[in-house]
Amino acid sequence: MGEHRKGAAVTDLDDWYRAYRTVYEDASRGRTVACPHCGARSLRLLFVVRNQDDEDGTAAFWCDACLHGLMPTRAPVPPTGERYVKGTESVPDYSLITGD
Ligand SMILES: [Zn+2]
């Protein structure tokens, strides 16, 4: 953040991972951390689980404003994480950020 590198993509994947970790640790930060792509404070992180009490889920992390986000990955559901049983989640068809 704030660092300029020649040839860097408009969106830096590292910034996304940093934002992900922040919101992962405290879900309430989703409304305070700026989206690395558009700057909006509308990041969403939710976990899709097969059963309500599963420890692991598929983490979907995206920005509600510009609809960009990370490729969903398996992760343990953190204490403050929003969890949805598969089929009940509402995740938009967002564009995946890739590291090239
Ligand atoms: Zn955004």
Side-chain angles (χ1 to χ4, degrees), residues 34-50:
C35 166
H37 190 80
C38 73
R41 289 174 165 75
S42 301
L43 294 171
R44 297 288 316 277
L45 173 62
L46 61 80
F47 297 84
V48 179
V49 294
R50 219 163 282 151

Side-chain angles (χ1 to χ4, degrees), residues 35-80:
C35 166
H37 190 80
C38 73
R41 289 174 165 75
S42 301
L43 294 171
R44 297 288 316 277
L45 173 62
L46 61 80
F47 297 84
V48 179
V49 294
R50 219 163 282 151
N51 303 294
Q52 185 58 39
D53 54 357
D54 279 358
E55 287 178 12
D56 290 348
T58 301
F61 184 58
W62 77 95
C63 169
D64 252 349
C66 67
L67 295 180
H68 283 77
L70 288 174
M71 177 100 66
T73 50
R74 295 285 294 171
V77 182
T80 60

Side-chain angles (χ1 to χ4, degrees), residues 10-99:
V10 174
T11 296
D12 192 329
L13 195 56
D14 288 344
D15 288 342
W16 278 95
Y17 287 134
R18 220 175 344 252
Y20 171 80
R21 280 195 298 271
T22 302
V23 181
Y24 184 92
E25 281 163 18
D26 180 356
S28 68
R29 299 290 300 277
R31 299 291 172 189
T32 64
V33 175
C35 166
H37 190 80
C38 73
R41 289 174 165 75
S42 301
L43 294 171
R44 297 288 316 277
L45 173 62
L46 61 80
F47 297 84
V48 179
V49 294
R50 219 163 282 151
N51 303 294
Q52 185 58 39
D53 54 357
D54 279 358
E55 287 178 12
D56 290 348
T58 301
F61 184 58
W62 77 95
C63 169
D64 252 349
C66 67
L67 295 180
H68 283 77
L70 288 174
M71 177 100 66
T73 50
R74 295 285 294 171
V77 182
T80 60
E82 269 184 82
R83 54 167 70 222
Y84 292 87
V85 174
K86 192 166 176 51
T88 67
E89 79 276 18
S90 151
V91 178
D93 188 16
Y94 61 83
S95 303
L96 298 177
I97 300 295
T98 57

